[in-house]
Amino acid sequence: MQAEFEIAVEDERQMAFAAGCLVTAWRDMHRHGDGRLTLASYTLGLGLFVPMAAVHLACVIDFLFVGTGVPGGALLAGASANPVLGWTQARSIPALILLWSSLGVGHLCLAWLLLNRDWLRIFKVGAAVGAATVTLLLLMAVLLLDTTVLISHVAMLAIEFIALAAAARWHARLISNASPGTA
């Protein structure tokens, strides 16, 4: 390969040589276990975690700008007519926005860590995302707010964690099957 590259340099076709190598590597990627894991990781990260982050951050934007025209208007649209409970619900908006934002950022971190295959940090960030989800669910339930949207997020989080566990097992299997010199 080095000799082919030197010939490409002499002909001033380094970019064409590099592009050919890239196309060949891309074409053969699915034939190797590590390549399949890489493709699956990118699919999971870009196809699941990034969209979930966008959904969580869209909830923040929804809380801030949609509804009655005041911050938290969409959240308070279904708020209680009870003045004490309504006051409590209105004062909880910053905490709810912080929790929704942390879920969005957490999902972006999970996507990034998945692509880096940093399983220890994935476990830590996943635990934080799970804790934030449970906290958000409990807070919304205590405030008597509509939790139906969040229930679907909890189900999606369970699917995400199952997919992460499968990817971690797959990676561990690849490492254990690799020869000692390539691990």
Side-chain angles (χ1 to χ4, degrees):
M1 189 169 201
Q2 181 65 33
E4 292 174 356
F5 178 70
E6 290 172 6
I7 292 170
V9 169
E10 289 174 8
D11 294 341
E12 296 181 8
R13 298 186 43 87
Q14 302 96 319
M15 290 302 289
F17 177 77
C21 290
L22 182 64
V23 168
T24 302
W26 181 257
R27 191 176 47 211
D28 291 341
M29 191 175 209
H30 69 280
R31 293 185 182 137
H32 305 284
D34 195 40
R36 286 190 297 273
L37 178 61
T38 299
L39 290 172
S41 296
Y42 273 88
T43 301
L44 184 61
L46 296 175
L48 185 61
F49 290 113
V50 172
M52 281 301 292
V55 166
H56 289 301
L57 294 174
C59 288
V60 171
I61 292 169
D62 186 46
F63 283 172
L64 289 174
F65 300 113
V66 179
T68 62
V70 296
L75 177 64
L76 296 178
S80 173
N82 182 336
V84 175
L85 188 55
W87 182 87
T88 305
Q89 290 170 335
R91 297 303 178 259
S92 68
I93 290 172
L96 293 170
I97 289 172
L98 180 67
L99 286 169
W100 278 111
S101 299
S102 67
L103 288 175
V105 171
H107 276 84
L108 289 176
C109 289
L110 284 174
W112 182 262
L113 294 171
L114 175 64
L115 298 180
N116 288 328
R117 297 181 187 167
D118 190 349
W119 303 112
L120 180 61
R121 286 190 181 156
I122 286 175
F123 177 75
K124 290 177 181 179
V125 172
V129 166
T133 303
V134 169
T135 303
L136 184 62
L137 182 64
L138 291 174
L139 183 60
M140 288 179 73
V142 165
L143 292 171
L144 301 175
L145 297 172
D146 186 19
T147 58
T148 55
V149 171
L150 194 57
I151 298 298
S152 63
H153 291 261
V154 170
M156 202 61 187
L157 188 63
I159 292 169
E160 290 171 355
F161 287 165
I162 291 168
L164 281 173
R169 276 195 306 268
W170 191 359
H171 186 241
R173 202 172 321 128
L174 283 175
I175 289 175
S176 67
N177 290 340
S179 63
T182 60

